[in-house]
Amino acid sequence: GIFFFVDNSVYVDRIIQSFPQRSAIILFCISLWGLVTWLMLFLIWTDYYLDLWTITNRRIIAIDQRGLFRRAVASFRYERLQDINIEINGFIATMLDFGELRAQTASAYRDAFEIKGIPHPRDIKALILRAADDLIIADPTSIPAERHLSQP
């Protein structure tokens, strides 16, 4: 019994002596985890915050931030607009009125005109459709004949 107690106390002394080294390693790991977590949150926030659509009276310009140093800019004129879809999923999105908006064009690059997490997607869709209609009314020759709303 005494031999076990002596060996056990030596083991405890070694743990106590190595504790400052272990605490430094633990502190380093926690700090590294915190740094990586904050970096990931910053990247997610940057991607969300710097994605934007600019809606003018003739075109939509979509800016998609795809990383810290990579950005894709695409635009289309209302003449090329084929369809606009909105999607609102879930109870919270319905109550807070946010969702996704997708504009389909005659372009082969389909992913450029999608924006997620926007407030009031119905109002934005109505704004785009109103701008496209105003363009048709102002200059009926800018839209191909089969797309005129006034034709029978």
Side-chain angles (χ1 to χ4, degrees):
I2 295 175
F3 182 71
F4 176 74
F5 180 73
V6 171
D7 281 347
N8 197 14
S9 67
V10 171
Y11 183 70
V12 170
D13 286 339
R14 285 185 181 170
I15 291 175
I16 291 173
Q17 289 173 356
S18 67
F19 184 72
Q21 294 170 348
R22 288 186 182 167
S23 65
I25 291 171
I26 292 171
L27 181 63
F28 174 76
C29 290
I30 291 172
S31 300
L32 184 65
W33 176 80
L35 180 67
V36 168
T37 301
W38 277 107
L39 182 63
M40 292 303 295
L41 289 173
F42 177 73
L43 290 173
I44 291 169
W45 178 81
T46 302
D47 181 42
Y48 173 77
Y49 187 73
L50 294 179
D51 285 354
L52 67 107
W53 278 21
T54 303
I55 301 170
T56 68
N57 62 342
R58 296 223 175 250
R59 70 177 59 232
I60 294 177
I61 303 165
I63 301 172
D64 185 21
Q65 189 74 27
R66 295 186 178 171
L68 285 179
F69 303 107
R70 199 171 106 195
R71 178 181 294 174
V73 179
S75 66
F76 68 90
R77 297 180 62 84
Y78 291 126
E79 293 91 358
R80 299 187 54 83
L81 180 64
Q82 291 180 338
D83 194 18
I84 296 180
N85 298 316
I86 60 168
E87 193 172 316
I88 300 172
N89 293 321
F91 177 74
I92 294 174
T94 303
M95 296 306 293
L96 297 177
D97 194 20
F98 69 90
E100 298 178 15
L101 188 129
R102 242 176 263 112
Q104 296 175 357
T105 65
S107 171
Y109 189 63
R110 299 217 181 257
D111 293 337
F113 307 112
E114 179 177 335
I115 191 163
K116 297 179 181 182
I118 59 168
H120 314 294
R122 291 181 200 95
D123 297 339
I124 295 171
K125 178 182 177 178
L127 177 72
I128 292 170
L129 291 176
R130 192 172 333 126
D133 290 342
D134 290 345
L135 181 65
I136 293 170
I137 292 169
D139 186 12
T141 61
S142 66
I143 307 294
E146 65 270 6
R147 291 193 56 203
H148 280 287
L149 300 177
S150 61
Q151 285 190 342

